[in-house]
Every structure is written in structure tokens, then in C-alpha cells.
Amino acid sequence: MQTNFTLAQLADPDTAESEKILRACVHCGFCTATCPTYVLDGNELDSPRGRIYLIKEMLEHDRPATADVVVHIDRCLSCLACMPTCPSGVHYMHLVDHARVHIENTYERPLVERVLRAVLASLLPYPQRFRLALFAALPAKPLAPLLEAIGLTRLAAMLRLAPWRGPQRPLGPQTFPAAGARKGRVALLAGCVNDVMAPQINAATIAVLTRHGIEVVLPRGVGCCGSLVHHMGRDDEALAQARANIDVWTALEGLDAIVINTSGCGTTVKDYGFMLRTDPAYAERAARISGLAKDVSEYLAALPLKPARDMPQLTVAYHSACSLQHGQRVNRQPKELLAKLGFVVKDVPDGHLCCGSAGTYNILQPNFARRLRERKVRTIEGLRPDLIAAGNIGCITQIAAGTKLPAVHTVELIDWATGGIRPPALRAS
Ligand code: SF4
Ligand code: SF4
């Protein structure tokens, strides 16, 4: 695509990067077929190609974002399904990230929207605050259908996603020693939401790693990876969170990997090198940290895992989280691990389409998110599985809100099969 940025505009490294991306796009439209929002409504402006065009116009003319552009960029899930489909290698993720920052800097959202976004940005990345918010949501949860009926869809979406039981305490900083001779040492990114909503995910991760001789460190000072605010265009906050984590992780000695079991966070940590490429104090360390980041399934795939018991013959519908399959291109390892441990693994048809979770998307865009969930649940239930497995708490929560099938994290099944406890979601089934 031809672009007409001035030399002065290209002096800005973010604009220079976006120009490179825009030039790579040949407008062929292959990406439209895999874009969930285009598949739902067939609106070109809700396709990657349409959004790329809107972003080009906005950046090239140095225009403040308009309400119309914001609608279509906000509807993008950042699921990245358009990236593997693109024959020209267009790096849509970095382009839309830049567009979101431009929107945040140049567009004043309506008051309600500003307040909602500020609340999400000040609650979700902080497990203690998030825990209090979940306690407050518990008694209001039965009101979700009523709130939906009177048009308060975002509030209703938040209540639907809140768990029915009280939230748990997040894990504190500590080291979990390897069982037997130590064969490796990793830092675990505990995540902001995991411990509060589903502590069994980190428990299973720690159990399976330590059982296989890996010491697991949860260092003091690591917080949110920054992805939540990054996807809202609040770049200063995202970069501050990234820098704080980099400071802590680089001070640890002898780390083989930073293990991440929330694939949305994994995609962001793997991008720290790019996000901080122009910061001389952090660029080199950020790239090193990105190189150390591994999804838990990637790390476990290199360990000699064996089934420790006779497992019941269970059919697992494996939902490949967008951030894992498109963002990190990790698709094979989780399925191979499950199959090796005795599960019958089924791919979900149209598995490239997002379930509608996408960070805070299911709260900010409840209509698209609900329709994507319904579609996903239909395709999963059509497989008649015994359970659903996914590698991201966001997908697990989103899908579980629309089906009676138990939904678990892949690592819970791996832990169970290698000698750990049965996942809590399967105990009742
Ligand atoms: S597939 Fe790639 S090159 Fe073609 S329109 Fe989409 S982003 Fe552009
Ligand atoms: S990231 Fe997902 S929703 Fe956004 S344009 Fe690409 S495919 Fe469509």
C-alpha cells in the first residue's frame, strides 16, 4: 500500500514502524475470512483490511481519532487471527497497538466510557483490589439478567463473569523447591486474575513443575504484565508495569524460563523487547526477558512427562486461545501433551475464531462477545466432549459462562495425569 508520511512524521519511531506495516499490506483481503467481527456482520470496516485503511488515514493525516474510527477499532478483539492468514506478513498487532495509543491521546470518550475504563484499569491489574471487587459483585450476581434486560449490558457482562464462590487470596512471593534433584529453575508469572478466580491453575502449574524437578520462584515485586492497559492504549501505564517486572526478573539468577500460564500475558511479555526497543535503559534487558518467556505448555513439552495413573477415557475439546495460537504460534504442544497423557483430544471446528473473551473485550463489547461465545459453545458442544481445556483463564471464564460442560486449564489436566489432584471443575461431573 502506498503511504505519504512526511519525514517529520517518520522521525517518530512508532509512526515509522506503522508506515512499514502499512506498506506491507497489498489489500488482498485474505485476512477478512478469518476475522471474527467480519465473519459476524460482514462489515468491511470491521475487518482487518478496513481497520488498516482507517488507521492509515488517521495516522497519515495526523488526525485526532473520530468517533467513527474509534467504534471500529474498539470492536477489534486483538485476537490476531488476521496475522497468520496474511500472505504479506502484515504485523497487525503492532499497528493496532499504535492506533489505540493514538486514540487514547487524541479522543475524548463519553464520560461513562471513561469511568468504566478507568475502573477496569485500576482494579484488574491489582489482585487485592480485584478480590474486593469480586466480593462486592457476589450478592449482585443474580441481578445480571435484569440489568441486561434494562440495557445495562456491560454491568450485566461483568456480573456474569464473576464467579459464584468467594474470591481467593493471591499467592505471596515465595520459592517452591524442586522435588528431588533440581533440574531447572523458573519464575512463574502468577497473573492478576488466576489466583483470585481460579487458584487451582497456579497450584497445578507449581505442582507439575516441582514434581518434575523444577524449582519455581514467585519473586516479590512482579505485578501485572501490562497487557490489560496496553490494549486500552494506556501505554505509559503498560510500559511502567513492564519495566517493573523486567527489573525483578533480571535480578534473579539462573533462570531457565519465565513460565506463563495465561496466554494473553505471555503474548505481551514476549513483546516486551519490541515495546521497549527505543528505551536505552531497558531495550536489551526487555529483549532478554522476552526470550525467556515461555507458555507453560511450551516449557512442559520439553520435560519427560509420563502418565502416573490409569486415567479415565475422557474426550477433551481443546480450545486454542487466540493469544496462544495466533499471538505466540503455540498450537501443537498443548494437544500433544494431552494426547500423550491419555486424553482423547478434539480440535474445535472454526478454532481460529475467538470466543469473545479478549481481555476486557467481553465487558467493553458485550454484544460481539456474547455472539462469539454462543458460536464457540455451539461448535464445542457439537463435539460431545466430556470437558473443555484451554490455556487462558479469560477463555475458560468466557466459555464456561455459556455451557454446562466443565472447562479447565490444560495444565490442570497435565498435573492430574502426572500424579496431581483431579481438577475441581471435574469433581462434580
Ligand atoms: S491479508 Fe494481509 S495484505 Fe491482504 S489485506 Fe489483509 S493485511 Fe493486507
Ligand atoms: S485482531 Fe482479530 S478482530 Fe482484530 S482485525 Fe484481526 S482478526 Fe479481526
Side-chain angles (χ1 to χ4, degrees):
M1 183 193 293
Q2 198 186 342
T3 59
N4 291 300
F5 288 91
T6 63
L7 285 176
Q9 285 177 305
L10 294 176
D12 170 54
D14 293 331
T15 306
E17 188 64 33
S18 290
E19 192 238 15
K20 230 167 48 195
I21 299 169
L22 289 166
R23 279 182 171 270
C25 175
V26 294
H27 259 222
C28 63
F30 286 172
C31 52
T32 56
T34 53
C35 173
T37 52
Y38 183 77
V39 168
L40 282 185
D41 283 349
N43 179 351
E44 172 74 15
L45 293 179
D46 284 327
S47 77
R49 185 171 59 179
R51 291 184 178 116
I52 287 170
Y53 186 73
L54 292 175
I55 296 170
K56 173 184 181 292
E57 285 296 296
M58 179 172 74
L59 295 181
E60 207 172 55
H61 298 286
D62 239 337
R63 282 190 196 134
T66 61
D68 206 33
V69 170
V70 173
V71 163
H72 298 293
I73 302 300
D74 279 358
R75 283 183 189 160
C76 170
L77 296 132
S78 279
C79 69
L80 310 180
C82 44
M83 285 181 55
T85 338
C86 174
S88 304
V90 170
H91 205 303
Y92 178 83
M93 176 172 106
H94 290 156
L95 185 66
V96 80
D97 286 348
H98 183 198
R100 290 197 160 117
V101 175
H102 186 82
I103 289 172
E104 187 65 16
N105 292 339
T106 63
Y107 179 72
E108 188 168 47
R109 294 177 182 276
L111 181 65
V112 175
E113 178 87 22
R114 267 183 284 147
V115 170
L116 177 62
R117 284 172 175 256
V119 168
L120 291 174
S122 61
L123 278 184
L124 295 184
Y126 305 96
Q128 296 291 7
R129 296 183 204 168
F130 181 46
R131 185 165 171 260
L132 292 178
L134 288 180
F135 270 123
L138 207 51
K141 201 170 155 58
L143 301 177
L146 175 70
L147 293 173
E148 187 144 22
I150 59 170
L152 296 174
T153 48
R154 288 165 162 185
L155 205 50
M158 280 196 256
L159 291 176
R160 275 191 204 285
L161 292 168
W164 278 106
R165 58 172 196 285
Q168 308 295 305
R169 262 179 212 292
L171 281 172
Q174 57 196 299
T175 296
F176 296 86
R182 191 177 94 173
K183 298 179 190 132
R185 182 173 196 249
V186 300
L188 172 66
L189 176 64
C192 313
V193 174
N194 268 355
D195 276 339
V196 181
M197 286 182 67
Q200 69 274 10
I201 297 175
N202 280 337
T205 306
I206 293 163
V208 73
L209 286 168
T210 51
R211 189 179 312 120
H212 289 85
I214 311 298
E215 181 177 279
V216 180
V217 187
L218 266 80
R220 183 178 304 280
V222 167
C224 176
C225 67
S227 82
L228 204 123
V229 282
H230 185 52
H231 289 144
M232 290 185 188
R234 301 165 80 111
D235 227 30
D236 290 346
E237 288 163 60
L239 293 180
Q241 289 171 352
R243 286 188 186 101
N245 291 340
I246 290 167
D247 284 343
V248 176
W249 283 327
T250 47
L252 295 174
E253 282 174 11
L255 277 192
D256 303 317
I258 296 161
V259 168
I260 302 172
N261 56 20
T262 305
S263 57
C265 310
T267 306
T268 298
V269 177
K270 286 183 178 182
D271 203 41
Y272 276 2
F274 177 83
M275 289 162 64
L276 289 161
R277 71 197 182 288
T278 57
D279 181 337
Y282 279 87
E284 188 267 330
R285 284 187 294 154
R288 199 147 31 93
I289 290 301
S290 289
L292 275 176
K294 293 257 177 307
D295 182 71
V296 64
S297 65
E298 269 180 298
Y299 191 80
L300 291 177
L303 298 182
L305 304 186
K306 285 198 206 85
R309 50 162 66 104
D310 281 339
M311 297 293 293
Q313 268 276 308
L314 289 174
T315 301
V316 180
Y318 175 69
H319 164 74
S320 194
C322 298
S323 40
L324 203 50
Q325 62 167 322
H326 309 310
Q328 300 182 45
R329 311 280 167 108
V330 175
N331 201 23
R332 181 181 48 80
Q333 297 88 327
K335 293 187 283 187
E336 286 180 357
L337 282 166
L338 291 175
K340 181 169 142 187
L341 294 171
F343 297 98
V344 179
V345 184
K346 288 197 176 175
D347 276 320
V348 178
D350 285 340
H352 59 280
L353 291 180
C354 183
C355 64
S357 167
T360 53
Y361 189 92
N362 46 8
I363 295 169
L364 295 171
Q365 298 287 334
N367 182 309
F368 273 89
R370 178 187 46 74
R371 288 152 73 203
L372 288 170
R373 175 172 55 217
E374 285 166 4
R375 187 185 171 111
K376 184 63 71 184
V377 166
R378 261 199 317 276
T379 49
I380 289 176
E381 289 182 345
L383 296 172
R384 302 193 174 281
D386 297 302
L387 70 149
I388 304 161
N392 192 42
I393 176 107
C395 309
I396 296 168
T397 312
Q398 167 79 351
I399 295 171
T403 180
K404 292 203 163 34
L405 284 168
V408 301
H409 194 291
T410 315
V411 79
E412 292 182 71
L413 296 179
I414 296 172
D415 177 45
W416 179 30
T418 56
I421 59 165
R422 189 180 176 97
L426 298 184
R427 285 188 203 149
S429 58

